[in-house]
Amino acid sequence: MIVSALDTVAARTAGLVKIYGFGDTEVRALDDVSVEFMTGEFTAIMGPSGSGKSTLMHCLSGLDTATSGAVCIGETDLTTLSDKQMTMLRRDRIGFVFQAFNLVPTLTALENITLPLDLAGREPDQEWLSTILKRLGLNERLAHRPGELSGGQQQRVACARALAGRPDIIFGDEPTGNLDSGSSGEVLSILRAAVDQFGQTVVIVTHDPRAASYADRVVFLADGRIVDELRSPTADSVLDMMKSLETR
Ligand SMILES: Nc1ncnc2c1ncn2[C@@H]1O[C@H](COP(=O)(O)OP(=O)(O)OP(=O)(O)O)[C@@H](O)[C@H]1O
Ligand SMILES: [Mg+2]
């Protein structure tokens, strides 16, 4: 099944500013960021440490609030939502794979993976679930609790959890940061499959040009601003862009 809806916006920001602290300690983490993520597109966000990548992901996914400007998921302006509405939007429409995995320590790997679905009272699509578990190499670890898993295994559980409910949009903050190249390739190709087979939208942060080459588009941040972007990236074109940005 190919779902094509490239003409609708899955998420966007307009004039997004995020300031942490105030006075002498003020940090302008995002400085007038306007960006759109189209439905059915895979975007990688890159940029130096401290350039605002995580802040952008947190604002887009409703985990942090904007100082000014707009953030929308689909047609929904996040600033208009109550806490309860925000929780429901996150639960029903967004999947997350963040550096701190946020797995529930008392639940098994499988229980963690199906938790968002259980909370929403939805049944998992068993075929998709077993594809995810197999591709991420988790079948032998389903009964283990997070504390009994390696860092890479925990990250793959977090990926499986984000993918299981087929949310409209998946945000990943360095989702392959702790993985060896084999597991990293599996995670990226399953994110690619979520886009190509189910028309989901994926936005990840990465420092790795090879990971970025799985995306349709790479957006480059520096000092809280979008400074450039690449379409149909290859690892080489991403690397060239990174070098040219360093010397600008
Ligand atoms: N909670 C916070 N309080 C104060 N400053 C913060 C906070 N979170 C982030 N910052 C600052 O905002 C800026 C952007 O941080 P952010 O975490 O978005 O960077 P990043 O691009 O994700 O970096 P990295 O590649 O190291 O993960 C940095 O200067 C950081 O120190
Ligand atoms: Mg970060």
Side-chain angles (χ1 to χ4, degrees):
M1 179 179 56
I2 304 287
V3 181
S4 175
L6 276 174
D7 49 349
T8 61
V9 177
R12 70 183 177 92
T13 69
L16 173 60
V17 173
K18 177 67 188 184
I19 297 172
Y20 289 112
F22 45 87
D24 291 347
T25 60
E26 176 180 306
V27 176
R28 190 172 278 259
L30 295 175
D31 187 9
D32 193 15
V33 171
S34 300
V35 64
E36 289 187 342
F37 302 99
M38 305 308 281
T39 297
E41 205 166 55
F42 186 161
T43 305
I45 298 177
M46 302 191 83
S49 181
S51 57
K53 304 179 299 295
S54 295
T55 305
L56 178 59
M57 300 293 271
H58 291 158
C59 290
L60 278 167
S61 53
L63 297 173
D64 206 345
T65 53
T67 304
S68 62
V71 180
C72 299
I73 294 293
E75 301 284 298
T76 312
D77 178 352
L78 298 191
T79 57
T80 65
L81 299 184
S82 67
D83 286 354
K84 183 154 185 271
Q85 287 170 323
M86 181 72 91
T87 303
M88 283 174 57
L89 176 124
R90 278 202 299 262
R91 188 191 72 189
D92 295 337
R93 296 176 57 192
I94 301 180
F96 306 93
V97 194
F98 285 169
Q99 272 166 323
F101 315 111
N102 300 319
L103 298 178
V104 180
T106 52
L107 299 182
T108 66
L110 183 61
E111 287 164 346
N112 267 286
I113 291 165
T114 57
L115 182 63
L117 286 167
D118 293 340
L119 290 174
R122 287 166 54 200
E123 285 295 320
D125 175 333
Q126 289 300 340
E127 200 183 324
W128 175 236
L129 187 60
S130 66
T131 304
I132 295 169
L133 297 176
K134 186 159 169 247
R135 301 245 328 239
L136 295 178
L138 288 170
N139 279 326
E140 312 297 308
R141 293 288 180 276
L142 294 179
H144 292 239
R145 290 177 212 288
E148 301 159 349
L149 298 172
S150 72
Q153 288 165 344
Q154 289 182 47
Q155 193 153 19
R156 281 179 277 147
V157 170
C159 271
R161 179 183 57 183
L163 286 156
R166 269 194 225 156
D168 295 344
I169 185 158
I170 296 171
F171 293 107
D173 194 350
E174 303 189 39
T176 57
N178 289 315
L179 302 182
D180 59 49
S181 67
S183 311
S184 170
E186 289 297 347
V187 167
L188 291 161
S189 54
I190 205 158
L191 289 172
R192 188 70 252 176
V195 170
D196 294 339
Q197 291 177 29
F198 300 120
Q200 289 170 264
T201 306
V202 171
V203 184
I204 64 164
V205 169
T206 183
H207 287 280
D208 175 7
R210 220 178 59 82
S213 73
Y214 283 77
D216 298 304
R217 171 190 181 211
V218 186
V219 171
F220 295 87
L221 273 181
D223 295 329
R225 288 173 165 264
I226 291 177
V227 289
D228 220 325
E229 72 167 67
L230 265 182
R231 293 227 150 242
S232 308
T234 62
D236 285 340
S237 68
V238 170
L239 207 57
D240 286 346
M241 177 69 86
M242 289 164 79
K243 282 183 198 147
S244 93
L245 289 174
E246 270 170 29
T247 56
R248 268 189 206 178

